[in-house]
Amino acid sequence: MSLTNSSDCNIYSDMEPFTYFYYLIFLIGFIGSCFALWTFAHTEDKCKSMNIYLINLLTADFLLTLALPMKITVDLGIASWKLKIFHCQVTACFIYINMYLSIIFLGFVSMDRCLQLIQKCKIYRIQEPGFARMISAVVWVMVLFIMVPNMAIPIQEIQEAPTVGCIDFKTKVGRDWHVFTNFICSAIFLNFSAMVLISNFLTIKLLYQNKYCGNYHNAKKALVNILLVTASYIICFVPYHIVRIPYTLSQSKAITTDCSLRQSLFKAKESTLLFGMSNLCFDPILYYYLSNTFRMKVIKTLGSSKDKRVSSDDTETCGKQAKQTDFSAETLQVFPEDKCDAN
């Protein structure tokens, strides 16, 4: 296939249908994130490793809520030229910062939850609040180190035209760093996807082994929750990364593509990116099912009668909480002190 001049190929048209979904994602995600922020702010127990990872996930989600209105404006074609440049340099990077922070922290959350069930009486380093804060800071520095150069590397002047995309503003150095960034991020995705899937598989296996227990009803509920979390992770992030590599190669002109193929790759990338950003809607549900303290606060806030049955033992000091699990109450009830006979 011969390489088509980018000035003769408009792959950025017909973006308006995507914006309707972005409106919905922004509205649901913004309300959910605000409620989650309010709930965590009024929760006394912020010292458990699970809550630390979830709070970092919530912070990443707010970066995405800042970026979405700008992306909607650009996709509608009503943004000024300077606003489009700003989006390409800054807010578009927020989208990818959120995506990979979400993937990483979901990996830590899945591992933490798995360790809670497999070794209830043993605390691993990753479950210690101090270590959780340290590793979270390292993750933020690492992701920003990868992404910020995409914002900081100078861009080239280019004449305004509807066929111009974000990649066209980049100099050769910018394009090379963009390609490098995408391959590094793909490696992050593969490693932490393995962490998520293996941790959830071990958790599901452990729950399934208790199907003959008297309290299997609780295990079944927890099993469904974990399957839903795993399915949402796969739906949100796997399709995008299948498309991302060939799309990046076509952007960098490492492979020759004609106009129709470039249009198909771009539409596929935007469609799968939409799935990736939908994690903004799912995360508040994740907080509810994975954080016992968050769930208790929500129940109390909504005035449910369940909060009357919450024992005062649920609130303890941070030092003691570091030795406790923070997984769903239903799940923990599956594993009593006297382990049930598998027969």
Side-chain angles (χ1 to χ4, degrees):
M1 291 179 290
S2 61
L3 183 66
T4 303
N5 192 324
S6 60
S7 62
D8 299 328
C9 182
N10 185 3
I11 66 174
Y12 307 106
S13 59
D14 302 324
M15 293 297 295
E16 185 176 352
F18 291 101
T19 61
Y20 301 126
F21 293 100
Y22 287 130
Y23 282 133
L24 187 61
I25 291 172
F26 174 75
L27 184 62
I28 297 174
F30 181 74
I31 294 172
S33 295
C34 286
F35 182 74
L37 178 64
W38 179 87
T39 305
F40 274 121
H42 290 80
T43 300
E44 295 179 0
D45 176 16
K46 303 184 185 71
C47 300
K48 294 180 182 179
S49 58
M50 178 74 77
N51 285 352
I52 292 170
Y53 296 133
L54 291 177
I55 289 170
N56 279 276
L57 183 61
L58 174 60
T59 305
D61 285 345
F62 268 101
L63 286 177
L64 182 55
T65 60
L66 294 175
L68 273 181
M70 188 74 70
K71 178 168 178 57
I72 291 171
T73 304
V74 172
D75 286 351
L76 284 174
I78 59 176
S80 66
W81 188 244
K82 289 184 178 180
L83 198 61
K84 183 175 181 177
I85 294 174
F86 178 80
H87 168 70
C88 289
Q89 269 200 291
V90 181
T91 57
C93 293
F94 284 179
I95 294 172
Y96 298 103
I97 290 173
N98 163 265
M99 179 180 290
Y100 291 101
L101 286 173
S102 296
I103 289 170
I104 292 170
F105 286 119
L106 284 173
F108 287 133
V109 164
S110 297
M111 178 177 286
D112 186 281
R113 176 182 55 190
C114 181
L115 294 175
Q116 287 174 11
L117 295 179
I118 293 176
Q119 296 287 348
K120 289 180 61 178
C121 301
K122 184 177 180 180
I123 301 297
Y124 290 88
R125 188 69 185 273
I126 194 175
Q127 295 175 277
E128 296 176 0
F131 184 81
R133 293 190 187 93
M134 183 191 72
I135 197 66
S136 296
V138 170
V139 167
W140 277 92
V141 170
M142 178 189 71
V143 172
L144 291 176
F145 176 78
I146 295 171
M147 296 295 182
V148 167
N150 287 310
M151 306 182 195
I153 295 175
I155 62 173
Q156 58 184 347
E157 293 289 337
I158 194 167
Q159 187 176 358
E160 183 174 351
T163 58
V164 173
C166 290
I167 193 67
D168 298 313
F169 291 106
K170 296 182 180 295
T171 60
K172 185 180 184 306
V173 174
R175 285 173 181 260
D176 291 343
W177 185 266
H178 175 72
V179 174
F180 172 75
T181 295
N182 279 288
F183 279 104
I184 291 295
C185 288
S186 296
I188 291 173
F189 166 74
L190 291 174
N191 282 279
F192 280 90
S193 291
M195 184 186 295
V196 170
L197 296 177
I198 291 172
S199 297
N200 287 347
F201 171 77
L202 292 175
T203 304
I204 291 170
K205 182 180 178 182
L206 192 60
L207 290 171
Y208 186 75
Q209 288 173 350
N210 286 265
K211 63 181 179 179
Y212 298 111
C213 294
N215 54 356
Y216 178 61
H217 175 70
N218 291 331
K220 187 176 180 180
K221 289 170 64 178
L223 190 63
V224 171
N225 291 340
I226 295 169
L227 288 173
L228 288 175
V229 170
T230 306
S232 65
Y233 180 90
I234 293 173
I235 292 170
C236 285
F237 300 119
V238 172
Y240 173 79
H241 286 87
I242 292 174
V243 174
R244 184 63 187 175
I245 296 300
Y247 176 72
T248 299
L249 292 175
S250 71
Q251 276 187 310
S252 64
K253 299 180 181 179
I255 58 175
T256 56
T257 55
D258 62 9
C259 186
S260 61
L261 181 56
R262 290 180 60 206
Q263 289 174 334
S264 298
L265 285 172
F266 178 75
K267 290 298 189 295
K269 190 270 292 186
E270 286 295 315
S271 300
T272 54
L273 181 62
L274 190 63
F275 284 110
M277 286 197 264
S278 66
N279 79 91
L280 189 63
C281 303
F282 296 130
D283 284 348
I285 302 173
L286 200 68
Y287 307 145
Y288 182 85
Y289 282 111
L290 296 185
S291 173
N292 190 40
T293 52
F294 180 87
R295 183 170 56 256
M296 291 299 108
K297 183 64 179 178
V298 171
I299 292 172
K300 184 177 180 180
T301 301
L302 297 178
S304 171
S305 60
K306 291 182 181 180
D307 67 324
K308 297 178 181 179
R309 299 195 295 271
V310 177
S311 171
S312 59
D313 294 337
D314 289 337
T315 306
E316 296 185 27
T317 60
C318 290
K320 293 181 180 179
Q321 288 162 351
K323 298 180 181 180
Q324 298 175 342
T325 60
D326 193 23
F327 191 50
S328 168
E330 293 86 354
T331 307
L332 294 181
Q333 290 169 3
V334 174
F335 306 101
E337 292 301 321
D338 51 335
K339 295 182 180 179
C340 69
D341 187 1
N343 300 319

